[in-house]
Short mmCIF file of all heavy atoms in Angstrom, two decimals:
data_model
loop_
_atom_site.label_atom_id
_atom_site.label_comp_id
_atom_site.label_asym_id
_atom_site.label_seq_id
_atom_site.Cartn_x
_atom_site.Cartn_y
_atom_site.Cartn_z
N LYS U 875 -1.80 -12.82 78.63
CA LYS U 875 -3.15 -13.45 78.52
C LYS U 875 -3.07 -14.92 78.93
O LYS U 875 -3.94 -15.43 79.72
CB LYS U 875 -3.55 -13.43 77.01
CG LYS U 875 -4.98 -13.71 76.82
CD LYS U 875 -5.38 -13.22 75.46
CE LYS U 875 -6.62 -13.94 75.04
NZ LYS U 875 -6.71 -14.19 73.65
N ARG U 876 -2.02 -15.62 78.56
CA ARG U 876 -1.85 -17.03 78.94
C ARG U 876 -1.87 -17.19 80.47
O ARG U 876 -2.39 -18.12 80.96
CB ARG U 876 -0.53 -17.55 78.32
CG ARG U 876 -0.42 -19.03 78.40
CD ARG U 876 0.94 -19.46 77.81
NE ARG U 876 2.11 -19.12 78.61
CZ ARG U 876 2.45 -19.71 79.70
NH1 ARG U 876 1.82 -20.81 80.11
NH2 ARG U 876 3.54 -19.33 80.43
N ARG U 877 -1.30 -16.20 81.12
CA ARG U 877 -1.23 -16.41 82.57
C ARG U 877 -2.49 -15.80 83.31
O ARG U 877 -2.56 -15.69 84.51
CB ARG U 877 -0.05 -15.56 83.13
CG ARG U 877 1.31 -16.22 82.64
CD ARG U 877 2.45 -15.43 83.19
NE ARG U 877 3.69 -15.87 82.71
CZ ARG U 877 4.74 -16.21 83.44
NH1 ARG U 877 4.68 -16.25 84.77
NH2 ARG U 877 5.84 -16.59 82.86
N GLY U 878 -3.42 -15.39 82.53
CA GLY U 878 -4.74 -14.88 83.08
C GLY U 878 -4.55 -13.59 83.86
O GLY U 878 -5.24 -13.34 84.81
N VAL U 879 -3.62 -12.76 83.46
CA VAL U 879 -3.36 -11.48 84.20
C VAL U 879 -3.96 -10.26 83.45
O VAL U 879 -3.94 -10.22 82.21
CB VAL U 879 -1.81 -11.30 84.34
CG1 VAL U 879 -1.49 -9.98 85.04
CG2 VAL U 879 -1.21 -12.42 85.16
N ALA U 880 -4.57 -9.36 84.20
CA ALA U 880 -5.02 -8.10 83.61
C ALA U 880 -4.02 -6.99 83.92
O ALA U 880 -3.54 -6.90 85.06
CB ALA U 880 -6.39 -7.76 84.20
N VAL U 881 -3.69 -6.20 82.90
CA VAL U 881 -2.80 -5.10 83.22
C VAL U 881 -3.51 -3.79 83.10
O VAL U 881 -4.12 -3.50 82.00
CB VAL U 881 -1.58 -5.13 82.24
CG1 VAL U 881 -0.61 -3.95 82.50
CG2 VAL U 881 -0.79 -6.42 82.32
N GLU U 882 -3.54 -3.02 84.17
CA GLU U 882 -4.25 -1.74 84.22
C GLU U 882 -3.22 -0.65 84.06
O GLU U 882 -2.19 -0.68 84.73
CB GLU U 882 -4.91 -1.57 85.58
CG GLU U 882 -6.19 -2.38 85.79
CD GLU U 882 -7.34 -1.75 85.06
OE1 GLU U 882 -7.52 -0.52 85.20
OE2 GLU U 882 -8.02 -2.52 84.31
N PHE U 883 -3.45 0.37 83.23
CA PHE U 883 -2.57 1.50 83.10
C PHE U 883 -3.19 2.68 83.81
O PHE U 883 -4.35 3.00 83.59
CB PHE U 883 -2.24 1.81 81.67
CG PHE U 883 -1.34 0.77 81.02
CD1 PHE U 883 -1.86 -0.23 80.23
CD2 PHE U 883 0.04 0.87 81.20
CE1 PHE U 883 -1.06 -1.17 79.68
CE2 PHE U 883 0.85 -0.03 80.65
CZ PHE U 883 0.30 -1.10 79.86
N ASP U 884 -2.38 3.29 84.58
CA ASP U 884 -2.90 4.58 85.17
C ASP U 884 -1.81 5.63 84.96
O ASP U 884 -0.92 5.90 85.77
CB ASP U 884 -3.04 4.31 86.73
CG ASP U 884 -3.57 5.48 87.43
OD1 ASP U 884 -3.96 6.46 86.74
OD2 ASP U 884 -3.63 5.45 88.69
N ILE U 885 -1.78 6.10 83.76
CA ILE U 885 -0.70 7.01 83.28
C ILE U 885 -1.20 8.41 83.10
O ILE U 885 -2.15 8.58 82.32
CB ILE U 885 0.00 6.44 82.04
CG1 ILE U 885 0.70 5.13 82.44
CG2 ILE U 885 0.98 7.40 81.50
CD1 ILE U 885 1.22 4.37 81.29
N VAL U 886 -0.61 9.36 83.81
CA VAL U 886 -1.10 10.71 83.73
C VAL U 886 -0.85 11.21 82.31
O VAL U 886 0.28 11.04 81.74
CB VAL U 886 -0.26 11.54 84.73
CG1 VAL U 886 -0.67 13.03 84.53
CG2 VAL U 886 -0.56 11.10 86.11
N PRO U 887 -1.88 11.79 81.64
CA PRO U 887 -1.66 12.16 80.26
C PRO U 887 -0.70 13.31 80.13
O PRO U 887 -0.58 14.13 81.16
CB PRO U 887 -2.99 12.50 79.73
CG PRO U 887 -3.98 12.34 80.87
CD PRO U 887 -3.20 11.99 82.09
N GLY U 888 -0.03 13.43 79.02
CA GLY U 888 0.90 14.55 78.82
C GLY U 888 2.13 14.58 79.65
O GLY U 888 2.67 15.61 79.96
N LEU U 889 2.65 13.36 80.04
CA LEU U 889 3.82 13.34 80.86
C LEU U 889 5.04 13.87 80.02
O LEU U 889 5.12 13.58 78.86
CB LEU U 889 4.17 11.92 81.23
CG LEU U 889 3.33 11.31 82.38
CD1 LEU U 889 3.80 9.87 82.53
CD2 LEU U 889 3.60 12.06 83.68
N PRO U 890 5.93 14.61 80.65
CA PRO U 890 7.07 15.06 79.91
C PRO U 890 8.03 13.86 79.57
O PRO U 890 7.97 12.86 80.34
CB PRO U 890 7.83 16.05 80.83
CG PRO U 890 7.24 15.78 82.18
CD PRO U 890 5.94 15.13 82.01
N PRO U 891 8.85 13.93 78.54
CA PRO U 891 9.68 12.83 78.23
C PRO U 891 10.86 12.62 79.20
O PRO U 891 11.29 13.53 79.79
CB PRO U 891 10.19 13.17 76.82
CG PRO U 891 10.09 14.57 76.70
CD PRO U 891 9.00 15.06 77.62
N VAL U 892 11.36 11.38 79.27
CA VAL U 892 12.58 11.07 80.00
C VAL U 892 13.67 10.81 79.01
O VAL U 892 13.37 10.55 77.81
CB VAL U 892 12.46 9.82 80.94
CG1 VAL U 892 11.41 10.04 81.94
CG2 VAL U 892 12.17 8.56 80.11
N THR U 893 14.93 10.94 79.46
CA THR U 893 16.03 10.59 78.49
C THR U 893 16.49 9.19 78.88
O THR U 893 16.76 8.96 80.04
CB THR U 893 17.22 11.49 78.71
OG1 THR U 893 16.67 12.85 78.64
CG2 THR U 893 18.24 11.33 77.64
#
Side-chain angles (χ1 to χ4, degrees):
K875 195 164 157 210
R876 192 180 69 78
R877 295 181 188 233
V879 175
V881 181
E882 285 284 310
F883 286 98
D884 183 7
I885 293 170
V886 175
L889 285 177
V892 297
T893 308

